[in-house]
Amino acid sequence: MSIDPALIAAAASALAAARRVLVLTGAGVSAESGIPTFRGAGGLWEGFRAEDLATPEAFREDPARVWRWYRWRRGICLAAAPNPGHLAIVEIERRVPAFLLATQNVDGLHPRAGSRKILELHGNIHRARCTLCGRKRDLPPEPEAPHAPLPACAACDGLLRPDIVWFGEAYAEGVLETAFEEAGRADVVVSAGTSGSVYPPAAIALAGKRAGAFLIDVNPAATEISAAADIHLAGPSGEVLPAVLAAS
Ligand code: BJW
Ligand code: ZN
């Protein structure tokens, strides 16, 4: 990682002075835990893109295929552990008076790392929901075989689906409102590990910047969010975030 130390120092002093901080995370934050991101190398599964599988239409057409994808991914998530980037975000929460983490990740690594004030915008891969009655159920803490029978609801025998927000689906009530509200009054917004290509989440970071927050983007690649950011720290979050904390 070769980031100008002056940029690290500037991010550190913005964070140290902040009273309200919103952190937005995406798949890149879990990349160093061995969980593949959606876009870019390794983003394919059996030749399908996330946009082909993470839709209600794909599930209606072939629920077994979608469950195979999620079981494969859940196995990876269960075997993974939080990395220094997740832990640095826990430390930011500890240091600032008002904090919110809005994550697009469904892998459960932020809560496992110890994050407390967290909105899981896209749901959680370790939970399922009945397609008939809507009841939710935690999945067992061990991986299921990809071809195991499809899970059914204990109450009504309806087919269960992953409790995840797919393309074209609405977000859980109040979740986006809370995230945008916090972005609107944050002193600092940190965006980490997201391509900023999925909306509305990408707009949370941009709305924070528009409302006057100091926007810090942590991503080895350039994105729409890094273009809008006050500081773009172009490195892996597992190295960059601890370096920022060490400098504050
Ligand atoms: C590192 C790193 C390291 C690598 N350190 N960084 C406006 C314009 C255009 C389209 C739309 C729009 N508004 C809405 C839409 C439609 C759509 C959308 O955004 N489409 C775009 C793709 C064009 N949005 C929706 O459909 C949303 N719903 C909605 O808008 O509902 C409206 C509605 C209202 C009322 C009634 C009904 C409907 C829902 C979107 C749901 C997205 N779900 C997914 C999959 C499900 C979750 C799962 O199975 O896991 O969520 S898609 C997938 O993308 C996943 C992610 O959370 C999401 C974001 O991806 P993310 O996290 O940014 O990952 P990547 O892979 O894209 O990027 C990783 C980044 O990390 C890269 O930049 C790397 O460089 C970086 N990186 N290593 C730091 N070590
Ligand atoms: Zn049911």
Side-chain angles (χ1 to χ4, degrees), residues 16-245:
R19 298 196 55 78
R20 305 196 78 96
V21 173
L22 173 93
V23 177
L24 171 74
T25 62
V29 162
S30 294
E32 289 153 275
S33 294
I35 300 181
T37 59
F38 291 93
R39 297 166 185 87
L44 287 180
W45 177 83
E46 291 187 3
F48 296 97
R49 299 172 308 140
E51 284 83 348
D52 299 329
L53 289 160
T55 70
E57 294 77 26
F59 189 73
R60 268 197 302 276
E61 194 179 299
D62 194 344
R65 183 170 70 198
V66 173
W67 266 116
R68 276 206 308 283
W69 184 50
Y70 277 99
R71 283 168 168 167
W72 169 72
R73 289 179 50 205
R74 205 167 90 81
I76 297 173
C77 297
L78 285 168
N83 67 57
H86 295 105
L87 297 175
I89 292 167
V90 176
E91 178 61 18
I92 298 174
E93 177 170 5
R94 208 184 59 73
R95 288 188 191 185
V96 296
F99 174 89
L100 182 65
L101 168 60
T103 185
Q104 299 167 82
N105 299 346
V106 300
D107 54 35
L109 289 185
H110 283 302
R112 271 175 60 194
S115 287
R116 290 288 166 262
K117 282 207 71 188
I118 172 169
L119 295 174
E120 293 183 311
L121 301 171
H122 290 156
N124 190 302
I125 200 167
H126 305 296
R127 214 168 44 230
R129 182 172 91 231
C130 180
T131 54
L132 294 183
C133 75
R135 279 193 180 77
K136 295 187 181 194
R137 186 182 101 188
D138 287 336
L139 292 168
E142 57 281 332
E144 298 104 351
H147 291 278
L150 299 189
C153 175
C156 78
D157 208 35
L159 176 63
L160 296 183
R161 57 164 278 180
D163 190 21
I164 278 181
V165 180
W166 287 330
F167 283 110
E169 291 191 317
Y171 286 73
E173 209 182 318
V175 162
L176 286 175
E177 291 77 359
T178 305
F180 276 104
E181 199 176 295
E182 276 307 312
R185 55 186 184 180
D187 306 313
V188 170
V189 171
V190 179
S191 172
T194 180
S195 61
S197 53
V198 168
Y199 279 80
I204 295 170
L206 302 174
K209 166 71 188 161
R210 250 195 328 274
F214 190 82
L215 177 59
I216 301 169
D217 188 41
V218 181
N219 192 323
T223 68
E224 203 181 319
I225 296 177
S226 62
D230 294 285
I231 297 184
H232 176 204
L233 300 172
S237 48
E239 296 176 32
V240 169
L241 289 173
V244 170
L245 285 178

